[in-house]
C-alpha cells in the first residue's frame, strides 16, 4: 500500500521520552527570575527550592504527613537512595516489566547483594501482581517508560502490608493518579511530564518510610548523597529546601515555571486530561490497522511513553534484526523530515517507536505526526 506524503508537520516535533518537550509557549524568558550567582542556602534561593516542594505536593495531592525532598541525580538517584537507605531488614520483591525495573532488580541483587525475588514479564505485559508477598518490601515502576505499559490501579497493593511499597513513578507523576494510601516511597524527576530540566530528582516518603529510616541502619557504606538520616533521625532540612548537594537554580526556576503552568490547567486533573487525550489520538490511529501497541491490554497502555510497532504481516515475519533495522531507518527518516525527534524505541525494547504523550505535548502535534508514520513506513519498506 502507498501513502501520500503528508502536507502538515507537527508545530513542535519534540517527542522524546526524556528530557521531554517543554510546556507550550515556553521560552528562555521563563527563567528570568532565576537566582543565579547566589548560594542555594541563601534565604531567597532556599525559598524557591521550598516552593518547588510545596507546589509539587499541592498539584499531586500528596497526603498530610508525607515528606518531599529534592535530591541529586534525577529519578535514578532518588530510587537508588530509597533502595540503599531502606532495603535490608525484610525480604524484597521486585516487579520488573521493562528496562528500569530490570535495572533496579540487578542493583538490589548485585550491588546490595540482597536475595530479591523478581516477578518479571515480557515487554507489553505486567507480571502476576497477586504473587507479591507483602511481608516483603516491594520495588516497582508505576509506568514502564521503555515498554509503554502502566499499572491500572493500586488494588494489588495490600492495605495491611508489612513491607514498604517503593514506587518509581518517573513517567507517571503528574500524568496519572497515584494511590498514595497504598504507597510508601515515590520517586520521579523534573524532566518528564512537566518538561523540566534533567539531573534533579524528587523523593516522597510516607510516615511508614520515615519510621523505617529512623529505626534501621543499613549494613553497607552509605554515600553522602544517599544519606537521609543523621544519628538515627531524619534530616528534616532536605524536605524544606536544604538540598544534599548544590542544585542548579536555573533548573529550579524552570521547575517552578512548569508547576505554575500545571496549576493554570487546573492541576493534576488538567495534566491527566491532556495526557489521556494524546493516548486517545494514537489509539484512534492504531485502530485503523497497520500498527499495534506494545501494551497488550488496553487499560495498561501508558499515556506518556506510548510504544507502538507495525502490525503488518511483512513486519512480524521479519527476523528480529530485520525489524530493528526497519524501525531504526523509520526513526531516522522521521527525524530527517523534522516531524518526530527522538521517537525511536528504547534500545532494549522490541523494535518500535516511542512517542511521548505527556501533558506538555499538544494533541494537534500528535495528530499531525501520525500520517507521517504510515508514509514513513511505506517509504522505508519501498
Amino acid at each position: 500500500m502507498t501513502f501520500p506524503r503528508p502536507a502538515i508537520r507537527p508545530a513542535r516535533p519534540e517527542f522524546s521520552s526524556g528530557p521531554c518537550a517543554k510546556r507550550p509557549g515556553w521560552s528562555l524568558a521563563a527563567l528570568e527570575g532565576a537566582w543565579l550567582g547566589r548560594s542555594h542556602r541563601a534565604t531567597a534561593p532556599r525559598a524557591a527550592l521550598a516552593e518547588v516542594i510545596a507546589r509539587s505536593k499541592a498539584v499531586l495531592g500528596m497526603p498530610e504527613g508525607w515528606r518531599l525532598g529534592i535530591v541529586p541525580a534525577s529519578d535514578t538517584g532518588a530510587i537508588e537512595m530509597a533502595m540503599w537507605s531502606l532495603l535490608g531488614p525484610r525480604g524484597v520483591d521486585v516487579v520488573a516489566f521493562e528496562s528500569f525495573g530490570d535495572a533496579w532488580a540487578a542493583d538490589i541483587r548485585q550491588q546490595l547483594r540482597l536475595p530479591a525475588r523478581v516477578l518479571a514479564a515480557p515487554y507489553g505485559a505486567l507480571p502476576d501482581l497477586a504473587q507479591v508477598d507483602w511481608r516483603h518490601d516491594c520495588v516497582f515502576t508505576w509506568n514502564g517508560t521503555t515498554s509503554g505499559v502502566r499499572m491500572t490501579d493500586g488494588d494489588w497493593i495490600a492495605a495491611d502490608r508489612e513491607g514498604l511499597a517503593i514506587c518509581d513513578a518517573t513517567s507517571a507523576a503528574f500524568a496519572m493518579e497515584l494511590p498514595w494510601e497504598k504507597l510508601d516511597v515515590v520517586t520521579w524527576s523534573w524532566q518528564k511530564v512537566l518538561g523540566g530540566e534533567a539531573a534533579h530528582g524528587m523523593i516522597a516518603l510516607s510516615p511508614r518510610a520515615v519510621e523505617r529510616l529512623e529505626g534501621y541502619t543499613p549494613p553497607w557504606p552509605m554515600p553522602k548523597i544517599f544519606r537521609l538520616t543523621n544519628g538515627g533521625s531524619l534530616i528534616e532540612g532536605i524536605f524544606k529546601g536544604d538540598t544534599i548537594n548544590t542544585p542548579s537554580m536555573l533548573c529550579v526556576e524552570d521547575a517552578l515555571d512548569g508547576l505554575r503552568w500545571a496549576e493554570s490547567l487546573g492541576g493534576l486533573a488538567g495534566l491527566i486530561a491532556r495526557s489521556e487525550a494524546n493516548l486517545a489520538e494514537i489509539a484512534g490511529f492504531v485502530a485503523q490497522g497497520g500498527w499495534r501497541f506494545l501494551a497488550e491490554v488496553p487499560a495498561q497502555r501508558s499515556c506518556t511513553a506510548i510504544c507502538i510497532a507495525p502490525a503488518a504481516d511483512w513486519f512480524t515475519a521479519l527476523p528480529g534484526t530485520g525489524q530493528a533495522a526497519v524501525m531504526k531507518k523509520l526513526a531516522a527518516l522521521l527525524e530527517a523530515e523534522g516531524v518526530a525527534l527522538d521517537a525511536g524505541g528504547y534500545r532494549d525494547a522490541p523494535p518500535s517507536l516511542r512517542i511521548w504523550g505527556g501533558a506538555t505535548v499538544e494533541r494537534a502535534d500528535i495528530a499531525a505526526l501520525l500520517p507521517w508514520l504510515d508514509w514513513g513506513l511505506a517509504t522505508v519498506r519501498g
Side-chain angles (χ1 to χ4, degrees):
M1 182 180 296
T2 60
F3 293 89
R5 182 186 181 86
I8 300 175
R9 285 177 163 80
R12 297 194 305 157
E14 293 88 8
F15 295 105
S16 166
S17 292
C20 301
K22 310 300 286 184
R23 64 162 174 83
W26 184 92
S27 74
L28 287 172
L31 308 181
E32 289 179 353
W35 293 102
L36 303 183
R38 295 291 310 276
S39 167
H40 61 293
R41 302 198 188 283
T43 300
R46 184 179 183 275
L49 288 158
E51 186 180 351
V52 171
I53 293 171
R55 287 181 182 270
S56 297
K57 292 176 76 172
V59 172
L60 290 170
M62 195 174 297
E64 288 293 325
W66 278 65
R67 270 85 159 192
L68 178 61
I70 300 167
V71 298
S74 193
D75 177 67
T76 300
I79 193 70
E80 292 283 4
M81 173 184 284
M83 295 191 300
W84 283 65
S85 300
L86 293 163
L87 297 183
R90 291 182 174 272
V92 182
D93 285 2
V94 184
V95 176
F97 55 95
E98 49 97 43
S99 298
F100 290 103
D102 290 341
W104 310 149
D107 284 356
I108 292 167
R109 285 175 161 178
Q110 298 170 19
Q111 305 303 320
L112 299 180
R113 300 186 180 181
L114 296 173
R117 189 172 67 121
V118 178
L119 306 176
Y123 278 83
L126 290 174
D128 182 2
L129 299 174
Q131 298 304 309
V132 174
D133 184 347
W134 285 107
R135 294 172 298 180
H136 297 170
D137 296 325
C138 183
V139 178
F140 55 94
T141 54
W142 191 266
N143 181 80
T145 308
T146 66
S147 69
V149 175
R150 63 171 160 178
M151 301 291 184
T152 57
D153 53 51
D155 292 350
W156 60 281
I157 303 172
D160 60 349
R161 60 193 176 281
E162 298 175 30
L164 299 178
I166 301 174
C167 175
D168 171 0
T170 194
S171 294
F174 297 102
M176 303 172 195
E177 291 281 0
L178 296 173
W180 294 98
E181 72 283 358
K182 294 291 190 74
L183 305 174
D184 296 294
V185 180
V186 181
T187 68
W188 66 90
S189 60
W190 291 354
Q191 75 260 29
K192 295 294 186 181
V193 177
L194 296 186
E197 293 303 299
H200 299 76
M202 303 290 282
I203 186 167
L205 304 173
S206 74
R208 297 181 74 242
V210 172
E211 183 180 8
R212 169 76 64 84
L213 282 168
E214 294 185 329
Y216 166 66
T217 301
W220 40 76
M222 186 70 70
K224 179 181 179 181
I225 61 170
F226 284 179
R227 295 176 200 158
L228 291 166
T229 59
N230 182 23
S233 297
L234 193 70
I235 303 173
E236 292 285 1
I238 293 173
F239 309 97
K240 298 177 181 178
D242 295 335
T243 54
I244 296 171
N245 70 334
T246 306
S248 163
M249 297 309 299
L250 199 66
C251 293
V252 169
E253 189 63 29
D254 192 54
L256 285 171
D257 176 74
L259 287 162
R260 295 184 190 110
W261 173 74
E263 293 163 357
S264 75
L265 299 175
L268 184 60
L271 295 169
I272 291 174
R274 286 177 62 89
S275 297
E276 292 291 348
N278 289 337
L279 172 61
E281 189 69 34
I282 294 179
F285 171 74
V286 168
Q288 298 173 21
W291 290 82
R292 61 184 172 85
F293 287 97
L294 290 191
E296 300 166 358
V297 179
Q300 295 173 2
R301 290 170 184 161
S302 171
C303 63
T304 54
I306 305 171
C307 299
I308 61 174
D313 291 343
W314 69 268
F315 182 78
T316 55
L318 289 173
T321 54
Q323 294 178 20
V326 165
M327 299 314 290
K328 186 175 182 179
K329 289 179 181 178
L330 175 57
L333 177 60
L334 296 173
E335 184 152 345
E337 291 287 343
V339 296
L341 307 178
D342 310 314
Y346 192 73
R347 60 179 178 268
D348 295 335
S352 56
L353 293 179
R354 182 170 56 153
I355 303 166
W356 184 255
T360 59
V361 174
E362 297 278 28
R363 183 171 185 168
D365 285 331
I366 287 184
L369 166 65
L370 296 175
W372 288 91
L373 304 188
D374 281 336
W375 172 85
L377 191 60
T379 301
V380 169
R381 182 184 183 187

